[in-house]
Amino acid sequence: DGGITQSPKYLFRKEGQNVTLSCEQNLNHDAMYWYRQDPGQGLRLIYYSQIVNDFQKGDIAEGYSVSREKKESFPLTVTSAQKNPTAFYLCASSISAGENQPQHFGDGTRLSIL
Amino acid sequence: GESVGLHLPTLSVQEGDNSIINCAYSNSASDYFIWYKQESGKGPQFIIDIRSNMDKRQGQRVTVLLNKTVKHLSLQIAATQPGDSAVYFCAERYGNNRLAFGKGNQVVVIP
């Protein structure tokens, strides 16, 4: 089945630790996105990538980093500089960034602090 | 797990009735709009979209209405079913397919 796979579903981070969230898509989409969702809030954009080897900061990029070495993969690292990392993280992809196309989402990773 | 619907406006609807979910958007230059459905512990699921050159679009049991004059979007669900219970988000496109999301509305279907 084509889709977006996020792993792990649940992740725990210790103080001062970096953790990496995985996002893989087999939809052959050029554009990929990372969002953060907090209870009762809309989704907020962390980083996005329009094409392989390119990415841009979103609205809340501080304390996060990404890479886009392969078209199908867009991992997100939550660094120790992110002081409030507890949230539900959602990855999305779309056919391209420049057209009116919906973004399709994975089922998220819930990150908590130990 | 923690509900994405926490503290959201809630619409309670009887099974079989029609539901209307409203959304006000902020940018008059937005040219593309999407409705998503999110169930607890899952990612948002695409429902329907509409471009700004349209004022109405219909899908299976759903209709989206766009009023650009007052920057208002609505989602109508016909014959609401228990499986429609979820949080519903609207999103507006700006920039290179960047989306701005509303906070969402919780829909609770009463059997």
Side-chain angles (χ1 to χ4, degrees), chain A residues 9 33 35 37 39-43 45 48 50 57-59 88 90 94 96-107 110, chain B residues 1-8 31-32 34 36 38 41-44 46 49 51 89 93-99 101-103:
Chain A
K9 190 167 179 64
Y33 312 81
Y35 293 90
Q37 185 174 40
Q41 300 284 327
L43 278 65
L45 183 65
Y48 66 106
Q50 299 181 53
K57 292 182 179 180
D59 301 318
F88 190 46
L90 289 159
S94 63
S96 69
E99 300 176 22
N100 289 335
Q101 295 288 341
Q103 295 177 17
H104 298 276
F105 287 83
D107 275 340
R110 189 167 298 283
Chain B
E2 197 167 14
S3 169
V4 298
L6 195 64
H7 303 313
L8 292 176
D31 60 357
Y32 176 62
I34 309 173
Y36 287 95
Q38 187 176 23
K42 293 190 173 182
F46 170 79
D49 57 4
R51 289 167 171 72
F89 293 95
R93 176 186 181 269
Y94 68 102
N96 271 338
N97 211 26
R98 292 182 61 163
L99 297 178
F101 289 82
K103 292 185 179 180

Side-chain angles (χ1 to χ4, degrees), chain A residues 1-77:
Chain A
D1 283 352
I4 301 170
T5 302
Q6 290 188 242
S7 63
K9 190 167 179 64
Y10 299 96
L11 187 59
F12 298 91
R13 194 191 90 168
K14 295 180 181 178
E15 293 287 342
Q17 186 182 43
N18 293 352
V19 291
T20 297
L21 284 60
S22 171
C23 178
E24 303 278 330
Q25 54 98 0
N26 60 5
L27 300 168
N28 201 33
H29 285 175
D30 281 328
M32 297 186 74
Y33 312 81
W34 273 106
Y35 293 90
R36 171 182 171 134
Q37 185 174 40
D38 295 283
Q41 300 284 327
L43 278 65
R44 291 184 291 168
L45 183 65
I46 304 172
Y47 267 98
Y48 66 106
S49 168
Q50 299 181 53
I51 202 164
V52 176
N53 293 321
D54 180 67
F55 51 83
Q56 288 84 38
K57 292 182 179 180
D59 301 318
I60 55 164
E62 186 174 350
Y64 301 97
S65 66
V66 293
S67 63
R68 186 84 188 278
E69 297 175 2
K70 298 187 294 183
K71 185 175 186 177
E72 60 269 24
S73 180
F74 191 40
L76 173 74
T77 297

